[in-house]
Amino acid sequence: MHDNMQHKNKVGRPSNKELILDAADSLVASEGASHLTFDALSQQTRISKGGLLYHFSNKDALLQAMLQRRVERFELLKQEHLERLENDPNKEPKSILLAALDTDAECARLGSGMLAAAASNPDLLEPLKRHVNDTIKQMERHLGEQVGRMLFYSVHGARLFEQLNLCEQCVTEREQFAEYLLNQIDKLTETNSGS
């Protein structure tokens, strides 16, 4: 009976690791990567510094986990779009582009903070590099090398401008941009299959 009560208490509660990652995301998004310290995290999460170090041995391990979580969230978004586009013959490349564009302003701020953090230790980008290369290959497989890369680069170029706060239109016109790219995929695949 006691075991069942313990199990019930654990259900629905986020793990400390997830709590720490949420707090780190929030801190980087609001303050920038330079303010991401274990002291600041301890204060925000009310988890002791030792408790933080139990989950993440150092700041690089924490940053790498944050980057990995971005990859996992992208994959979840991609899967959601795949399911929504179930009957679309171009669902694979469309789901990739939509997942890349399906983020909010906080994510953009977080991205620029993460860029700054990763600049100090390029090894942190390894999970992202693998993910980007795999995603480009998926786009190429469905649309051909040139078209797949061009569309992939277009989306991520717009996202980078947004992350660096260089392009207000990238935010306000995101929906039209997405619609245009999806239409281009349909046109390009019709042209290729018709010839």
Side-chain angles (χ1 to χ4, degrees), residues 68-83:
Q68 183 58 41
R69 193 159 82 150
R70 296 248 66 81
V71 169
E72 290 164 5
R73 286 183 174 170
F74 172 86
E75 289 300 327
L76 283 173
L77 282 171
K78 181 181 146 196
Q79 191 58 43
E80 287 173 20
H81 287 294
L82 268 174
E83 289 167 12

Side-chain angles (χ1 to χ4, degrees), residues 144-156:
E145 189 175 313
Q146 280 189 316
V147 172
R149 285 180 182 223
M150 178 201 55
L151 292 172
F152 184 81
Y153 296 158
S154 296
V155 166
H156 287 283

Side-chain angles (χ1 to χ4, degrees), residues 129-140:
K129 284 181 183 176
R130 286 191 300 275
H131 180 258
V132 165
N133 287 330
D134 291 345
T135 308
I136 288 173
K137 285 176 186 163
Q138 290 172 38
M139 291 292 289
E140 291 173 347

